[in-house]
Amino acid sequence: MSYTDEIQTPEEAQRQRQTLIIVAIIVAIVLIGGCAGIFFLLGNRPAPTQGQTIVAVTSLPTLTPSLTPIPSDTLEPTPGDGIGGGGDGATETPSATNTDVPSIRFATLSEIRGSVLIKTPANSDWVTVTSELTIPEGTTILTSEGSSVKLTTTEGTTIRVSSQTQIVLAELRGTTLDPLTKLKIDFGKVWAIVGNDLGLGKFEVETPIGLASLLEGSSFMGVEHNSTQILDIITCLDGKCRYANSVGVIDLATLQQVISDGGGVPGPVDPMDPNQVDSWSPTRVPEVVTLTPTITPTFTPSVTRTPTNTRTPVNTPNFTATQGAAGTNSAQTSTAASNQLTQTVSAINLTATAGAGSTSGAKTATAAVATANQNATNISGTANANATNQFFTATAFAVNIRLTNEAATARAAASQFALQTAFAQQTETAFASANPSNTPISTPTKTATPLPAFSFSTATYSAGESAGKVTITINLNATLSTFVSVQLDTAITGSSSLDATSGADFTPIVSQIITFNPNQTSRNIDITLIDDGLTESNETFQVLLTNPGPQTALGTPSGANVTINDSPPPVLAFSTPAYTAPEGNAGTTNAAIIVNLSRAYANTTTVTVDYSSFAGGTATGGGACGGGVDYVTPAGTLTFVPGVLTQTFNLAVCGDTLNEQDETVFLQLTNETNTAAGGVDTATLTITNDDLQPTVNITPGTVAVVEPGGLGATSILTFDVTLSTASGQTITVDYATVEGSGDGFAKDGADYVGKTTTTLTFPPNTVGPQTISITIKGDVLNEMNESFDLVLSNAIKATLLATPNDRSTATITDDGDPAPVASFSLSPYTKSEGNSGTSTATISVNLSRQSGQTIILGYSTTPGGSCGANVASAGSDYVTANGQLTYNPGDLSASFAITINGDAVVEPDECLTLNLSAVAGTVTITGPSELWIMNDD
C-alpha cells in the first residue's frame, strides 16, 4: 500500500526542481567522464576542436559508484617530460588506490505489529510492511498507534520501535566487528539492545535536539523524543551511555536517566523513574530478560510528559541536493558544460567541449589524459566536498525515481560511460604511456573477468517435519553496488518413493525472484514445511537457482537437496484427563472414552494399547449393574491401524434414582506397542448424579387436641417426618417447637412440653417416618384455644419445603373450665367527705377464680342511687371516674380510686352508683355497688 498527496505543495515543487538539478549534475559528470573515455579510445584519430555528441541509451550506472582518491591539483612530471608539451620521457598516469571493501551489513524488519510503513531511498512513497523485510540504509520507518516493529542488524543489534514513532536508518557502516549504526528519530521511542561489545564501533541515536550513544561494553539504551514538549528522555539500563546536545555532554551509568529540552547543558542524571523502568518490560522489550538488575527506582521526574504526538506521513523526497561551489579550471568548464543541458520530456541533449586533441604523439595524448583525469578528479572532489551524499544518493535513487524520459537517457549515458571507462583503463592508457612515438601497436588481449555468481551455501539442507520451515541460504560471491536478482524454484524428481510431495509435505516455490540489495552477499529464504501428521520415512525435494540477472551468473552449487526429517514415533493419550457421564435412572448409559494417537503411521505399522480401570475411585464397579454397582468394570484392547488417529471404548454406567454424590472411576492405558512415552495414560471418569434431592415432609400439617382435664393431667401428641424418595446419602434435618405471644398461643411449660433444636437422621435408602412426640398439659383455667408450631430446619442432602410446609401447627382447645365471676368487694362503700380539700375512696373488684386468659373490665360512676333525693353531685361532691381494669391469667383482684371533695356545709349523706362492664375475656359480672359520701359537719 502506498499513497501520495493529491495536491502538490510548494515544498514538493521545490523538491522536484532540486531533483532535476541533481539529475543534471549527474549527467554532466557522466558526460565529462564519457568524453575522456572516448578520447582514450580514439586518441590516435584526428579530434575536432569542438562538437556535439549524442550519447546512446543502454543501461543504468551502478547505484553506489566507487570513490576514486583525489590526486593533487598539479601532476609531477617524470624527468625529461612536461605537461602539455613535447618531450621524450613517459608520463605517469594518475591511478586510484584500492581500499578494502567493508563487510556487508544490513538491517531486517520483523515482528510487525499493527500498521508499519516504510519509505526507502529508492521510493518516496510510504509502503505498508506486512512480513519480514531487509531494508537499505536511509529507510524511514513509521509506526502508527498501537503498532510496533523489531529492527535487527547483521551483528545482532536489536532496535525495538514503539508505537507512534518515526525513525530513519541513517547510517549502517563498517564491519560487524567494528560497526557504525546510527538512527535518526523524529518522534516516539526506541530501545537499543546491542548484541555484542561495540569494540571501536559506535551506536548512536540522533534526535531533533541531541545525540544519544552507547559506550563500549554496554548493551541497553532507550531513547524517547517527545515532539510535543520538545524533550529527550534517555534511559541507560545497563553499562554506560552518553547524551550530548549543542551545549554539552553528559554520561549515564546503569539504571540512570536524563531528561533534556535541548536548551542547556544536559542533566541532571537521576535514577530511572518507575515509568521508564516499566517501559523496559519484557512485553515491550523481550530481549531484556537477558538482563536482571535489581531495580529500585525512587526518582519522580519534575517534568510532566504527555504522550508523544502522532504525525501523518508526508510524501517527502528522500534526498536534497545542494549545488557545490564551482571548482577551478576544468571544474569550471564542466560547470559550464552542465549549464548547457536542455531539459526536455523525450531526451536530454548533452553538449560538452571535447577534450584536448592529440596533435603530435604520445606526449600530447598524455597531457590530454592528465587533463582529463585532472578534470574528472576536480569534478569528483568538488562533488565529494560539496554534495557527496546528495550525489551518490541521487545516483542510487535514479533506478526507481519517477521522472520523465530523461531517466532513460541518463541510464544510457551512464552505461556508455561505464563501458568507455573500463575499456579506457585497459587499452588507451597503454597508448598514452607506452607508445610515445604514437606508433601503431597491437591491441592487448583482454582477460575475461568471471561474473559474480549466485550459489547455495551447501548442497544439502535438512529440517524436522514439525519445525514448520527449512531455511536455505543463497550466497553471492562478490560485493556489488547495484540491486541484482536470481530465480528460485522447488522441484521433485518423481522417481523415488522417498520424494516429498509438493503441496502436501512442503509449500512449493515457483519462479520466485530473490533480490539482493547493494552490498548484500547472502539471503536466507524460508520454505514452509507441512506436518502431515504421519510417521514415515525421511523425504527429499530440490531447490534450484536459475535465470541470474544481468552481469551475474550461476555458481556451484546452483541446486541443493532438502531432506524433511520425519518426526519421532507417535504418542498415545486419553483425549482428556477428565471425562464425565450422567448416571441415568435405570439400565445403563455408555460413556465414550476417546484415546488419540498423536500421528498416524503411513506404512504397515499398527499400534495397540490395553485399557482398564484401577482402584481409588469412589464409584463401585462390578461385572453387571445391580446391588449397588455404579459401573461395569471395563477391560479390552484398542488397535490403531495405519492412518487411524482415534479409537473409542465405552464404559457402561448403571442408572438409579438415588440422589447421591458424583462418583469417580479411574482409567488407565497399559501395554502400548510402537509408540513413544510421554502420553496421558491415566484419566478420571466422573459419574454425575442426575437425581433430585428428596423433599422433607411433616404430618399432620395441622392438628387440634383437647387439653387433658384437671390440673396435672397430660396427653401425648405425635408428628411424623418422612422423605419423598430414598436417597443414596445420609440425610439430616433439625426440628424445634416455637410458641407465640399473647392470648391464643400455648405456653411452653404451662400448656405443653416444648422441644429445643433436635436432629433427625435418615440413613441411605430410607424414607422414614421419623416420629416426634410432644406432651400436652391440663389445667383448671378457663381459657381460649391455644396453639404452637413444630418447625423443621437445616436439611442436609434434602430439600426443605418453604413456609408453611416446613412446619406443623398444633391447637390445644379448652376442656370447659368455668369462667370467673367479677364483683365489687363491698356494697355499699362509704367515705367521709372532709371539711376541705380532697380524699380518695378505693374501690376493689374481685374475680371468683383465676382465668387462663386476660380479662378486661370497664368501670364508671353515675350520681345517685338508693339515697333517693340525696344525690351526690359530680364535680362538687366527687370527681367522675371511668376506666378499665386488666386481669392477666392468674390474677384475682384489681381496684380503682374515686376522688371526694371536702366541704363545711351541713347536709345529708349523699350517694353515687359504681358500674362494671366486660371488655375482654370470658367473665361473669355481678350487680353494681354504691359509694356513700358521709356528712361530717
Side-chain angles (χ1 to χ4, degrees):
M1 181 186 74
S2 63
Y3 59 89
T4 58
D5 295 332
E6 295 186 0
I7 301 177
Q8 186 181 49
T9 64
E11 289 79 9
E12 291 173 336
Q14 176 64 22
R15 288 194 289 269
Q16 288 189 356
R17 290 195 293 273
Q18 291 173 344
T19 301
L20 293 176
I21 292 172
I22 291 171
V23 173
I25 294 173
I26 294 170
V27 173
I29 294 173
V30 171
L31 174 62
I32 295 171
C35 290
I38 293 171
F39 172 79
F40 291 144
L41 286 168
L42 306 175
N44 59 343
R45 300 177 184 178
T49 58
Q50 187 174 9
Q52 187 179 51
T53 301
I54 304 301
V55 182
V57 176
T58 57
S59 62
L60 289 172
T62 58
L63 294 182
T64 310
S66 58
L67 300 180
T68 303
I70 302 174
S72 60
D73 292 339
T74 305
L75 299 178
E76 292 293 330
T78 57
D81 194 9
I83 298 175
D88 298 326
T91 302
E92 179 180 6
T93 302
S95 61
T97 301
N98 292 329
T99 58
D100 293 334
V101 178
S103 299
I104 295 176
R105 298 179 66 233
F106 57 88
T108 302
L109 290 177
S110 62
E111 297 186 18
I112 292 91
R113 307 283 193 274
S115 175
V116 177
L117 304 178
I118 66 168
K119 184 168 59 177
T120 65
N123 187 355
S124 60
D125 291 336
W126 290 102
V127 177
T128 299
V129 180
T130 59
S131 59
E132 183 171 315
L133 179 68
T134 300
I135 61 172
E137 181 183 86
T139 299
T140 303
I141 304 165
L142 175 66
T143 60
S144 63
E145 183 175 1
S147 62
S148 64
V149 71
K150 173 183 176 182
L151 182 64
T152 308
T153 64
T154 311
E155 69 279 4
T157 295
T158 298
I159 298 98
R160 291 281 177 177
V161 184
S162 182
S163 62
Q164 296 181 282
T165 297
Q166 180 169 302
I167 65 169
V168 179
L169 182 60
E171 294 185 71
L172 200 62
R173 307 289 190 200
T175 68
T176 57
L177 297 178
D178 185 20
L180 168 59
T181 303
K182 184 173 183 178
L183 306 176
K184 289 187 177 181
I185 180 169
D186 299 315
F187 54 88
K189 183 167 184 176
V190 297
W191 297 271
I193 305 94
V194 176
N196 61 355
D197 291 342
L198 287 172
L200 298 177
K202 295 180 180 179
F203 184 93
E204 301 177 339
V205 180
E206 181 179 347
T207 76
I209 61 173
L211 180 68
S213 56
L214 271 167
L215 303 183
E216 180 179 355
S218 302
S219 298
F220 296 79
M221 178 176 71
V223 180
E224 178 179 356
H225 179 70
N226 187 315
S227 57
T228 301
Q229 297 181 341
I230 317 300
L231 291 176
D232 281 347
I233 306 169
I234 314 301
T235 59
C236 194
L237 191 67
D238 177 47
K240 297 180 180 179
C241 309
R242 177 167 292 170
Y243 177 74
N245 61 14
S246 60
V247 181
V249 177
I250 193 165
D251 287 344
L252 296 84
T254 298
L255 290 177
Q256 289 186 335
Q257 73 177 41
V258 65
I259 301 176
S260 173
D261 60 4
V265 175
V269 171
D270 288 301
M272 286 173 61
D273 71 74
N275 290 334
Q276 293 301 333
V277 172
D278 182 67
S279 73
W280 281 95
S281 164
T283 59
R284 297 181 180 89
V285 188
E287 294 80 5
V288 82
V289 297
T290 61
L291 183 71
T292 56
T294 301
I295 302 176
T296 55
T298 58
F299 171 67
T300 301
S302 58
V303 180
T304 301
R305 301 188 300 274
T306 58
T308 306
N309 62 323
T310 303
R311 297 185 176 182
T312 303
V314 179
N315 185 18
T316 304
N318 291 306
F319 58 88
T320 302
T322 304
Q323 182 177 358
T328 58
N329 300 328
S330 57
Q332 294 174 349
T333 303
S334 68
T335 302
S338 67
N339 290 333
Q340 298 173 13
L341 294 175
T342 302
Q343 301 180 7
T344 67
V345 173
S346 61
I348 300 178
N349 293 324
L350 308 179
T351 304
T353 303
S358 173
T359 57
S360 60
K363 293 180 181 180
T364 303
T366 301
V369 170
T371 302
N373 284 336
Q374 183 64 42
N375 290 342
T377 299
N378 288 338
I379 294 169
S380 174
T382 302
N384 286 332
N386 298 285
T388 301
N389 293 333
Q390 293 82 355
F391 170 69
F392 288 109
T393 302
T395 305
F397 295 162
V399 176
N400 294 320
I401 192 167
R402 294 191 177 100
L403 299 176
T404 56
N405 290 336
E406 291 93 338
T409 305
R411 294 188 182 98
S415 176
Q416 186 68 20
F417 167 71
L419 293 173
Q420 292 168 353
T421 303
F423 190 76
Q425 290 176 348
Q426 295 181 12
T427 59
E428 299 306 326
T429 301
F431 272 104
S433 61
N435 191 16
S437 62
N438 202 22
T439 302
I441 60 176
S442 60
T443 301
T445 301
K446 293 183 285 184
T447 302
T449 302
L451 292 175
F454 295 99
S455 63
F456 290 113
S457 61
T458 179
T460 59
Y461 297 93
S462 65
E465 182 179 47
S466 60
K469 69 177 181 178
V470 60
T471 300
I472 64 172
T473 301
I474 304 173
N475 292 331
L476 181 63
N477 65 357
T479 302
L480 302 179
S481 58
T482 61
F483 289 89
V484 292
S485 63
V486 67
Q487 180 177 319
L488 175 66
D489 292 89
T490 57
I492 57 174
T493 64
S495 61
S496 170
S497 61
L498 300 182
D499 281 340
T501 301
S502 178
D505 296 311
F506 67 94
T507 301
I509 292 177
V510 180
S511 302
Q512 181 176 338
I513 302 303
I514 307 302
T515 301
F516 281 62
N517 297 324
N519 299 323
Q520 188 176 11
T521 60
S522 181
R523 283 288 308 274
N524 289 331
I525 306 299
D526 290 337
I527 301 176
T528 300
L529 301 182
I530 302 172
D531 189 347
D532 57 15
L534 301 176
T535 298
E536 53 200 347
S537 302
N538 295 342
E539 300 169 314
T540 62
F541 65 93
Q542 296 176 313
V543 287
L544 304 173
L545 295 177
T546 59
N547 299 328
Q551 302 301 313
T552 59
L554 294 179
T556 302
S558 60
N561 289 328
V562 179
T563 299
I564 304 175
N565 296 322
D566 191 47
S567 299
V571 173
L572 269 174
F574 285 106
S575 61
T576 177
Y579 298 88
T580 60
E583 63 179 358
N585 292 328
T588 60
T589 301
N590 286 329
I593 308 300
I594 300 172
V595 179
N596 293 331
L597 191 62
S598 62
R599 62 176 61 245
Y601 279 103
N603 48 32
T604 59
T605 303
T606 297
V607 173
T608 62
V609 62
D610 295 337
Y611 63 87
S612 62
S613 62
F614 63 97
T618 58
T620 301
C625 293
V629 172
D630 296 308
Y631 68 97
V632 178
T633 304
T637 300
L638 299 177
T639 300
F640 296 79
V641 298
V644 174
L645 291 173
T646 299
Q647 289 285 24
T648 301
F649 68 88
N650 290 323
L651 186 148
V653 177
C654 301
D656 60 41
T657 57
L658 298 177
N659 173 262
E660 52 197 345
Q661 292 183 332
D662 294 344
E663 299 167 314
T664 57
V665 182
F666 291 161
L667 305 172
Q668 63 182 350
L669 300 175
T670 56
N671 302 324
E672 298 178 16
T673 62
N674 299 318
T675 59
V680 179
D681 57 5
T682 61
T684 301
L685 169 66
T686 299
I687 302 174
T688 58
N689 173 64
D690 59 359
D691 298 305
L692 298 176
Q693 293 180 341
T695 58
V696 182
N697 303 309
I698 183 169
T699 57
T702 60
V703 61
V705 58
V706 177
E707 69 176 0
L711 186 62
T714 62
S715 63
I716 301 298
L717 179 61
T718 60
F719 300 87
D720 290 335
V721 180
T722 59
L723 300 179
S724 60
T725 61
S727 173
Q729 308 177 68
T730 299
I731 293 176
T732 60
V733 62
D734 295 338
Y735 68 90
T737 55
V738 177
E739 68 177 33
S741 61
D743 293 337
F745 292 97
K747 301 298 184 286
D748 183 9
D751 299 309
Y752 67 98
V753 178
K755 298 286 188 179
T756 58
T757 300
T758 307
T759 300
L760 293 176
T761 299
F762 294 84
N765 300 308
T766 64
V767 295
Q770 299 278 3
T771 301
I772 303 173
S773 297
I774 303 294
T775 299
I776 306 300
K777 301 177 70 173
D779 58 37
V780 294
L781 300 177
N782 174 265
E783 52 195 348
M784 299 172 61
N785 295 340
E786 301 169 313
S787 63
F788 65 91
D789 288 341
L790 178 62
V791 179
L792 302 179
S793 64
N794 193 32
I796 305 298
K797 307 297 184 183
T799 301
L800 191 62
L801 298 177
T803 302
N805 297 315
D806 64 342
R807 65 193 61 209
S808 178
T809 299
T811 300
I812 304 173
T813 61
D814 188 60
D815 60 352
D817 295 313
V821 176
S823 60
F824 289 103
S825 59
L826 292 175
S827 183
Y829 294 89
T830 62
K831 180 65 176 174
S832 297
E833 63 177 354
N835 293 326
S836 62
T838 61
S839 59
T840 299
T842 300
I843 309 299
S844 294
V845 181
N846 297 329
L847 297 179
S848 62
R849 61 184 296 162
Q850 291 180 341
S851 176
Q853 53 186 305
T854 300
I855 294 176
I856 301 176
L857 299 176
Y859 65 87
S860 63
T861 60
T862 57
S866 62
C867 54
N870 298 321
V871 177
S873 298
S876 60
D877 296 316
Y878 68 97
V879 177
T880 299
N882 57 67
Q884 292 181 343
L885 298 176
T886 300
Y887 298 82
N888 292 320
D891 291 344
L892 291 175
S893 179
S895 61
F896 63 90
I898 296 177
T899 301
I900 305 299
N901 296 319
D903 59 38
V905 177
V906 176
E907 57 190 343
D909 295 335
E910 300 167 319
C911 69
L912 63 129
T913 300
L914 305 176
N915 304 302
L916 290 177
S917 64
V919 178
T922 303
V923 63
T924 299
I925 300 174
T926 60
S929 181
E930 293 180 345
L931 171 62
W932 284 76
I933 301 174
M934 309 302 292
N935 178 55
D936 57 1
D937 298 311

